[in-house]
Amino acid sequence: MGAPGDAIPSEPGRQVTSEDNVERNHREAEKNATKASLNLPTAGKQDLEAAAPAVTGPKTYKAPAFDAPDSENPKKAAPILESEAEFVRYRRQRTVNWMGTSVFVFYICAFGFYLWIRISKTLDLGQYLPYGIFVLFVECMGATTVVLYGTNLLWNPVNEIVLQESEDGIGPGKLKVRYPYHVRVLVPCYKESLEILRRTIMAAYDAQLPEGCHRTIYLCDDGKDPKKRKWVDSLAADVVYVSGRKRASGEMNGKSGNINNVCAQLYPPGTRVPGSELICVFDADQVASKEFFMKTIPMFDGGDDVGMVLSPQCFHNLNLHSDIFNHSNVHFWEYMQPGYDTLGFISCTGTNFLVRSNALLEVGGSPQYTLTEDFALGMEMKKYGWHCRYVQEYLAIGEAPDQIRNCYQQRSRWCKGHFQIALNKERCPLLQKRLSWGMRILYMSGVWSYIVGLTSTPTFIVIPLVTIWLGVFPIVVSWWAALGLTIYFIATNAVLYYIKSLKHIEALWFANCANQLLFYTYIKAFWRALNSVFGDKIQFKTTLKGASMLMNSAFRDLWVPGLCFVLLFATMIAGLIQLFTGSTVNSPLAISVVWCVYNALPHFLVLWYVLVSKGISLQYLCRFCILLSFFCGSIAVGLIWGLYPRSYSFKDALNYSNFFLDAQKVGTLPVDNPVTWRSDAMTSEIGPLDRDITGGYLQGGSAGNLKMTHPTAFSIALLAWGLVQFPSGYEKANATQDTMYQVRWGADYLMKMIGHGSGTGAGNLEIIYQVGNYTTDQDYWGRPEDYTLDRPYYVAGADTGATNLAATMASALAATATVWKSSDTTYYTTLMTAAVELYTYATKILNPYGSIVSCLAIQAPTS
């Protein structure tokens, strides 16, 4: 390459033949002709430099315009071979993937069953019901992404490349294509090094072409680097340097602007471009294999409406055993893109693809309204009726970002670009009338996956923290919960880890790992994209490669994974302490400890990646973490089965409730009181007019010796209602008699709380709503039996009303009367009379107790 006149790039060690010399002379003539069209001197490199005039301003290097043949239909081109039947094999074909379909159907059924269980069996959370509903909603969001991913497993694409028979009948022949395709290879660059670009252009030049096809390579240099121009000038005429584009201030997508600049020069307005004109785009670091064009170009023979052919990406500097940022993207290249091919979905990925020139021009060129021009280009082409084919072979190799700053910056750009499109009312996939609803959903799925990622990942990090520190678990653990979670866990992993090769398990785990590491990047990207709707500028930042990679500190990107790891580790320790010091082991706590371990693994790996090593130790650590994560998932499922309550004895629950109420009783206790450590207490409490106000139940809490009328009335009403509504249940629990005496004890106390003022009649009712002083009781740390302090009482009602208190007491007394109606008619009559009096008072003076104007506090000593 370095010698003047050696215009044919060659592989190292290649022998130059006489045919090469003829070809070199031919290309030199073409080169001089091309330079003439660009107003360049036709001499060698030294003469070119000597003859170059002094530059007084920026020089523009343009691509020579395409000399288009007259064609009425720009999608058509004169075929080399007339028989279209020979190329039917290149049309989209697919076969049913029975295994993938079975897994997908299993998941759909499992999710439906799980959803039924979650709604009907696991949300009895009381005051924490909103928390449980939120977690279930996030779970459903995640399920939608699994469903969208699973649709790619339903079919397998069928691709077939056939070679002609050789003329001598020995060995493979040449590949035949229907049209004389001319491939315009564009290599856009900005600040990438010449060393990287040299490999890319040389590989594109040396790649084989099907018979009858041609190629021209364009180095599209937005950086206007004279070294790159000089190097290109030393090559053959079909390698062209293009530069001089004026970048607009605040330009959003420089790559699209660069590509469109070349296309505008190749195909000026009014040019009729035939379907045999192809544009191939390679990023600056993507080195094509010898077979790249032989595998991709024939796909255009599948139909004149095939507008794009894609191939996957791989990277030379990537260790697949420590790919924590999922650069290999195996789940996308090996499972999603083949599925997209069968569904007719165009998912352009920005490099290593070919597009018909007339298709690109029809959609307005490479989109410049978003940072993700590749994704937008696929959607625009689909809107115009073009189709895409995917070649599932790694035909080019590039360079993955290695520095953590570049990793986060690249993913942030992808995420922001998707949100830019979704938040644009003119570009949002759901609003594109030229797309079917299926395509709208598929194009929206990329944005939706980011939304789910930025929502579900922090949610599932917080859940074990809330459980261990606050004791709140978002589901009720039961046999049904264990069954639903087990089936759904198996079904979800069956979809997410559906593999064609065992070696893919590792890569699919890294996809999940990357999502957990990048959730905060997604949040920031969404916020930036949202602000851009209101006028904030977003600029395109290239992913630098080679020596140009950013080497600044990674700590600006580590604070989130570092914080997550510290919180999860501390919470895990706290959970283990609770497990080993608690009286019993409960499944939510044990599951949350395991969950903390599972969530901490990705954050631990990225800290190791930056702070310790990217080498062999990271590889072994990744393998250990993969095994540990699967172990954690299995252990969590096992804990649900091992630790969920085996039975819910309502008999025991009811009898324990009565026992608790017996323990809270004060006054002169019954002789048969079952709480042996309790005895008579607070037997000298005196109310208004020396009325006896002993008895009832202590409230508990920080002021544990208070007696509160309203809570007592509510509890007695509920107990009595249970006896009336479910008598057989109480009989089966052998708790009818005990509960009847509980409600009678409470009703007797409520009767003592009712008094009259100076007059008579319902209008003058006064109700004692509290016995005991809150402040005094907070300072008392002794048994009720030893309580010797004064017991003040507090009165509500009279002429100011106490509607809520009186009405609750009325319901309690009426319900208790109903319970005792058949056993004690006198007691029934007494209670009903008091209930009617209370109800009349509650409805006559409509004013709640508790406000200053309706509360009369009277403090009186009990001795």
Side-chain angles (χ1 to χ4, degrees):
M1 289 299 299
D6 186 9
I8 302 177
S10 59
E11 299 177 2
R14 174 183 171 185
Q15 297 297 321
V16 179
T17 65
S18 59
E19 293 180 356
D20 288 333
N21 292 327
V22 173
E23 178 69 13
R24 180 182 62 188
N25 295 333
H26 176 68
R27 293 190 180 279
E28 186 67 25
E30 289 183 345
K31 174 181 176 181
N32 292 334
T34 301
K35 289 183 176 181
S37 68
L38 298 175
N39 296 321
L40 296 177
T42 59
K45 288 194 300 181
Q46 293 89 345
D47 296 334
L48 174 62
E49 296 173 0
V55 179
T56 58
K59 187 175 181 60
T60 301
Y61 292 85
K62 296 184 178 181
F66 165 68
D67 184 13
D70 186 16
S71 175
E72 295 183 359
N73 185 352
K75 289 188 179 181
K76 297 290 185 179
I80 299 175
L81 301 172
E82 296 292 344
S83 177
E84 186 175 349
E86 294 186 54
F87 302 95
V88 172
R89 61 179 174 274
Y90 296 134
R91 294 178 182 172
R92 179 176 291 107
Q93 302 177 61
R94 65 185 185 184
T95 59
V96 176
N97 180 4
W98 292 109
M99 181 60 72
T101 300
S102 301
V103 168
F104 180 72
V105 172
F106 172 52
Y107 176 81
I108 295 296
C109 296
F111 175 66
F113 179 64
Y114 175 72
L115 188 61
W116 173 74
I117 288 178
R118 288 285 280 112
I119 294 174
S120 62
K121 308 291 185 182
T122 68
L123 291 179
D124 188 13
L125 297 168
Q127 62 180 322
Y128 302 112
L129 178 60
Y131 174 49
I133 293 175
F134 171 75
V135 171
L136 177 57
F137 177 74
V138 174
E139 286 184 86
C140 291
M141 290 175 63
T144 59
T145 62
V146 178
V147 171
L148 289 169
Y149 178 75
T151 57
N152 297 305
L153 308 179
L154 300 180
W155 292 280
N156 288 321
V158 177
N159 293 333
E160 182 184 9
I161 302 294
V162 179
L163 297 176
Q164 296 184 46
E165 294 183 2
S166 60
E167 296 179 359
D168 56 6
I170 301 175
K174 296 180 180 179
L175 180 66
K176 60 179 178 180
V177 290
R178 191 172 181 219
Y179 296 105
Y181 294 107
H182 191 143
V183 184
R184 313 281 179 171
V185 180
L186 308 187
V187 183
C189 67
Y190 184 42
K191 294 182 179 180
E192 292 83 358
S193 69
L194 179 58
E195 177 186 358
I196 290 177
L197 289 164
R198 181 184 289 113
R199 292 195 297 265
T200 300
I201 292 177
M202 290 279 290
Y205 198 100
D206 284 341
Q208 299 174 356
L209 289 172
E211 187 177 9
C213 296
H214 306 278
R215 116 194 74 205
T216 306
I217 301 175
Y218 303 85
L219 178 59
C220 316
D221 182 20
D222 261 1
K224 305 173 185 177
D225 187 344
K227 293 183 179 179
K228 297 171 186 174
R229 175 184 61 80
K230 182 178 180 181
W231 177 75
V232 170
D233 284 344
S234 69
L235 306 181
D238 45 8
V239 181
V240 181
Y241 179 81
V242 183
S243 184
R245 182 178 77 91
K246 184 177 181 181
R247 296 169 61 95
S249 177
E251 183 178 57
M252 182 181 300
N253 195 312
K255 180 179 177 181
S256 282
N258 200 348
I259 291 173
N260 291 339
N261 174 62
V262 179
C263 290
Q265 297 172 23
L266 284 170
Y267 312 111
T271 303
R272 291 184 178 273
V273 183
S276 59
E277 280 284 310
L278 305 179
I279 287 178
C280 176
V281 177
F282 287 119
D283 280 352
D285 61 308
Q286 292 293 324
V287 179
S289 70
K290 284 280 190 179
E291 296 182 310
F292 183 88
F293 296 116
M294 301 289 280
K295 297 286 188 179
T296 54
I297 290 178
M299 291 298 174
F300 286 99
D301 286 338
D304 293 332
D305 58 352
V306 176
M308 181 179 288
V309 175
L310 298 167
S311 68
Q313 302 172 26
C314 59
F315 306 98
H316 71 86
N317 62 328
L318 180 63
N319 190 309
L320 297 178
H321 301 301
S322 57
D323 184 21
I324 61 174
F325 287 102
N326 191 35
H327 294 303
S328 63
N329 227 354
V330 168
H331 79 291
F332 181 76
W333 298 119
E334 298 286 345
Y335 297 92
M336 294 180 68
Q337 278 286 31
Y340 290 160
D341 192 23
T342 64
L343 297 172
F345 177 71
I346 305 178
S347 178
C348 181
T349 51
T351 184
N352 309 347
F353 72 92
L354 293 90
V355 59
R356 287 193 199 264
S357 301
N358 52 29
L360 184 62
L361 297 175
E362 184 177 14
V363 302
S366 184
Q368 295 184 256
Y369 54 81
T370 174
L371 296 177
T372 50
E373 78 294 333
D374 44 6
F375 172 77
L377 177 59
M379 184 175 69
E380 296 295 337
M381 291 185 64
K382 195 64 185 178
K383 285 164 55 178
Y384 281 86
W386 292 97
H387 298 286
C388 176
R389 296 307 313 276
Y390 176 63
V391 179
Q392 196 177 343
E393 293 187 51
Y394 294 91
L395 301 174
I397 186 168
E399 183 173 322
D402 184 61
Q403 301 299 320
I404 189 172
R405 177 86 282 265
N406 282 318
C407 295
Y408 280 102
Q409 182 176 287
Q410 181 192 65
R411 304 309 172 87
S412 176
R413 184 176 72 248
W414 294 353
C415 185
K416 280 185 285 191
H418 278 74
F419 278 118
Q420 280 180 305
I421 298 172
L423 296 174
N424 188 326
K425 62 182 180 181
E426 296 180 359
R427 310 291 184 179
C428 178
L430 294 177
L431 304 179
Q432 302 304 309
K433 296 181 179 179
R434 301 181 68 171
L435 293 175
S436 67
W437 273 107
M439 288 296 128
R440 296 188 203 188
I441 293 173
L442 284 175
Y443 278 110
M444 196 65 188
S445 64
V447 182
W448 180 245
S449 67
Y450 286 122
I451 294 175
V452 173
L454 65 86
T455 305
S456 62
T457 301
T459 298
F460 292 129
I461 289 176
V462 167
I463 287 174
L465 274 63
V466 171
T467 302
I468 291 175
W469 293 110
L470 302 180
V472 181
F473 200 59
I475 70 172
V476 175
V477 179
S478 64
W479 181 88
W480 282 106
L483 178 63
L485 284 166
T486 301
I487 294 176
Y488 187 58
F489 173 79
I490 294 172
T492 301
N493 282 280
V495 174
L496 297 182
Y497 289 96
Y498 172 83
I499 54 173
K500 303 172 184 176
S501 171
L502 285 175
K503 64 182 180 181
H504 288 170
I505 291 180
E506 191 175 40
L508 294 178
W509 187 86
F510 283 131
N512 178 62
C513 174
N515 282 332
Q516 294 193 57
L517 292 176
L518 294 165
F519 78 90
Y520 184 66
T521 300
Y522 298 158
I523 293 174
K524 290 194 300 180
F526 170 72
W527 182 250
R528 288 289 309 277
L530 185 64
N531 286 336
S532 71
V533 176
F534 302 100
D536 283 4
K537 297 291 185 181
I538 294 181
Q539 291 187 347
F540 183 90
K541 297 179 181 179
T542 59
T543 304
L544 299 180
K545 308 290 177 67
S548 302
M549 283 188 177
L550 296 177
M551 299 298 290
N552 57 320
S553 173
F555 286 99
R556 59 182 293 186
D557 299 298
L558 283 181
W559 74 271
V560 172
L563 177 62
C564 289
F565 178 76
V566 170
L567 287 175
L568 289 166
F569 183 79
T571 303
M572 179 193 67
I573 297 299
L576 288 172
I577 293 173
Q578 292 182 43
L579 283 175
F580 287 111
T581 59
S583 57
T584 59
V585 178
N586 65 78
S587 54
L589 179 60
I591 292 170
S592 297
V593 171
V594 175
W595 202 339
C596 284
V597 176
Y598 177 86
N599 284 338
L601 296 179
H603 305 287
F604 173 67
L605 288 176
V606 76
L607 293 175
W608 189 278
Y609 177 89
V610 175
L611 302 177
V612 182
S613 171
K614 302 176 186 178
I616 191 69
S617 62
L618 179 63
Q619 297 179 40
Y620 284 113
L621 196 59
C622 285
R623 292 174 181 175
F624 172 76
C625 288
I626 292 172
L627 294 175
L628 182 59
S629 69
F630 285 114
F631 177 75
C632 287
S634 303
I635 287 295
V637 172
L639 286 172
I640 296 176
W641 285 102
L643 299 178
Y644 79 86
R646 283 296 182 272
S647 64
Y648 287 93
S649 174
F650 292 101
K651 174 183 177 180
D652 291 343
L654 186 56
N655 288 320
Y656 285 142
S657 296
N658 282 328
F659 188 82
F660 169 78
L661 291 174
D662 287 329
Q664 296 299 105
K665 288 178 180 177
V666 290
T668 303
L669 301 183
V671 177
D672 60 348
N673 187 56
V675 185
T676 57
W677 65 84
R678 288 299 319 278
S679 58
D680 296 348
M682 302 178 182
T683 57
S684 301
E685 295 174 322
I686 303 298
L689 303 177
D690 295 331
R691 188 169 75 245
D692 177 24
I693 57 173
T694 60
Y697 299 97
L698 296 180
Q699 178 69 21
S702 59
N705 292 305
L706 294 182
K707 296 194 297 183
M708 307 295 294
T709 303
H710 203 176
T712 299
F714 175 81
S715 300
I716 296 305
L718 193 63
L719 280 172
W721 171 78
L723 280 168
V724 173
Q725 192 71 26
F726 308 104
S728 61
Y730 281 84
E731 288 291 342
K732 291 178 180 178
N734 195 27
T736 301
Q737 194 72 14
D738 289 342
T739 308
M740 287 180 65
Y741 279 102
Q742 290 294 355
V743 298
R744 182 159 188 159
W745 180 272
D748 289 345
Y749 177 74
L750 294 177
M751 292 286 291
K752 294 179 180 181
M753 299 299 101
I754 305 172
H756 297 83
S758 56
T760 59
N764 292 321
L765 280 184
E766 292 180 348
I767 303 172
I768 298 175
Y769 68 86
Q770 177 178 318
V771 176
N773 181 269
Y774 182 83
T775 303
T776 302
D777 279 358
Q778 277 189 314
D779 296 333
Y780 179 75
W781 287 69
R783 299 192 314 150
E785 289 81 358
D786 300 331
Y787 196 95
T788 59
L789 301 175
D790 291 340
R791 296 288 286 172
Y793 58 84
Y794 298 82
V795 179
D799 295 332
T800 56
T803 301
N804 51 346
L805 177 59
T808 305
M809 293 175 68
S811 65
L813 296 180
T816 304
T818 304
V819 169
W820 282 90
K821 183 177 181 179
S822 60
S823 302
D824 191 337
T825 56
T826 302
Y827 189 55
Y828 165 78
T829 302
T830 301
L831 292 180
M832 288 302 297
T833 301
V836 170
E837 188 178 24
L838 285 165
Y839 180 76
T840 302
Y841 175 65
T843 55
K844 183 177 180 180
I845 305 177
L846 299 176
N847 194 30
Y849 95 103
S851 60
I852 295 177
V853 296
S854 63
C855 276
L856 175 64
I858 300 176
Q859 296 196 26
T862 59
S863 58

